[in-house]
């Protein structure tokens, strides 16, 4: 089908009251309008593009699910203030299987960046959040989280321009790790208290509940926290 013919076919099951899932690709900082230009892709990666790309009206998108890794990754060039160019970064890459599915290209890895998460939640209008790869952090004694930035000693909500990036100083909060295999956990209550504490810290920073937490690479490795789909 040509691009102009997609709309009627996508809209039909929606109008019939059926559930339709639109899946986006890439992270928000690769969005051509809202990303770290010029280090972006050629299209919009925010949730609004589901309506624009499919031809289904935006008022029909009743749930926006944000997929969030337990740490941060980026592919290709561009700013990455929390990037780890050391053995820890390599551990995250190897343990998390952070290589391009098609190209095998290694992904850059770093700690969680709260200002980026808040911006993503705002831009996408999230209604639900799924946290993936929590198990990758299981060997960490402590887990740093970036909760803000300082520019020339003054706290700022995020890095706004690429020209300021070299002068940005991340504000770090250290959280306790759990140093325990969580892949066998079947429920939220079975997770170590430190793992639950990490998830709850992200929730508080995001001001949004995380309903789904993956605990391993296999399809069945997850626990639910709150109401899900």
């Amino acid at each position: 089908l040509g691009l102009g013919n997609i709309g009627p076919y996508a809209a039909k099951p929606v109008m019939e009251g059926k559930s339709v899932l639109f899946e986006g690709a890439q992270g928000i900082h690769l969005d051509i309008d809202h990303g770290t230009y010029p280090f972006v892709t050629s299209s919009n990666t925010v949730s609004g593009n589901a309506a624009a790309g499919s031809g289904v009206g935006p008022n029909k998108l009743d749930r926006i699910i944000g997929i969030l890794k337990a740490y941060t990754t980026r592919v290709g060039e561009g700013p990455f203030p929390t990037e780890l160019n050391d053995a820890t970064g390599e551990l995250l890459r190897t343990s998390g299987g952070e290589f391009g599915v098609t190209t095998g290209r290694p992904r850059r890895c770093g700690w969680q960046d709260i200002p980026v998460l808040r911006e993503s939640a705002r831009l996408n209008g999230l209604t639900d959040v799924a946290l993936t790869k929590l198990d990758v952090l299981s060997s960490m004694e402590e887990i740093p989280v970036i909760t803000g930035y300082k520019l020339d000693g003054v706290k700022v909500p995020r890095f706004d321009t690429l020209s300021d990036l070299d002068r940005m100083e991340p504000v770090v909060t250290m959280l306790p790790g759990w140093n325990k295999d969580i892949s066998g956990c079947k429920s939220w209550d079975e997770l170590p208290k430190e793992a639950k504490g990490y998830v709850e810290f992200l929730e508080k920073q995001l001001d949004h509940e995380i309903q789904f937490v993956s605990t391993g690479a296999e399809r069945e490795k997850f626990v639910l926290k709150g109401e899900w789909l």
Side-chain angles (χ1 to χ4, degrees), residues 12-19:
K12 186 175 185 294
V14 174
M15 299 306 294
E16 292 173 349
K18 297 178 181 178
S19 294

Side-chain angles (χ1 to χ4, degrees), residues 81-121:
T82 71
E83 183 174 11
L84 295 166
N85 294 305
D86 57 13
T88 302
E90 186 58 37
L91 176 63
L92 291 177
R93 183 179 300 109
T94 303
S95 300
E98 298 297 348
F99 301 90
V101 176
T102 302
T103 65
R105 188 179 186 183
R107 299 188 184 111
R108 300 157 65 190
C109 298
W111 299 124
Q112 197 61 267
D113 190 315
I114 297 300
V116 170
L117 298 188
R118 289 175 179 155
E119 183 182 22
S120 179

Side-chain angles (χ1 to χ4, degrees), residues 38-219:
F39 304 103
V40 295
T41 190
S42 59
S43 62
N44 291 111
T45 62
V46 294
S47 61
N49 196 44
S54 68
V56 172
N59 66 327
K60 300 301 181 183
L61 305 178
D62 57 350
R63 300 183 76 169
I64 309 295
I65 304 169
I67 309 298
L68 163 67
K69 289 180 182 178
Y71 50 93
T72 304
T73 62
R74 179 164 192 149
V75 176
E77 300 298 322
F80 193 171
T82 71
E83 183 174 11
L84 295 166
N85 294 305
D86 57 13
T88 302
E90 186 58 37
L91 176 63
L92 291 177
R93 183 179 300 109
T94 303
S95 300
E98 298 297 348
F99 301 90
V101 176
T102 302
T103 65
R105 188 179 186 183
R107 299 188 184 111
R108 300 157 65 190
C109 298
W111 299 124
Q112 197 61 267
D113 190 315
I114 297 300
V116 170
L117 298 188
R118 289 175 179 155
E119 183 182 22
S120 179
R122 176 183 63 82
L123 285 171
N124 290 291
L126 301 183
T127 62
D128 304 87
V129 178
L131 179 69
T132 67
K133 302 195 176 186
L134 185 64
D135 56 297
V136 176
L137 301 181
S138 291
S139 63
M140 307 291 177
E141 295 290 339
E142 287 188 305
I143 304 172
V145 177
I146 309 307
T147 54
Y149 291 94
K150 288 183 179 179
L151 178 61
D152 299 332
V154 178
K155 191 170 182 179
V156 294
R158 66 179 298 274
F159 60 90
D160 287 315
T161 63
L162 298 185
S163 61
D164 292 335
L165 185 60
D166 291 339
R167 293 157 49 219
M168 285 291 181
E169 176 188 353
V171 177
V172 181
T173 297
M174 300 298 296
L175 300 177
W178 45 96
N179 198 23
K180 180 181 178 182
D181 181 14
I182 63 172
S183 63
C185 295
K186 302 295 185 183
S187 69
W188 170 254
D189 291 337
E190 292 181 25
L191 289 175
K193 66 177 182 179
E194 295 84 0
K196 291 190 286 188
Y198 182 76
V199 176
E200 289 166 349
F201 180 83
L202 296 184
E203 289 182 322
K204 184 176 180 180
Q205 295 294 316
L206 271 174
D207 193 24
H208 205 299
E209 183 183 10
I210 295 171
Q211 296 98 335
F212 177 104
V213 180
S214 77
T215 56
E218 294 80 9
R219 188 182 186 93

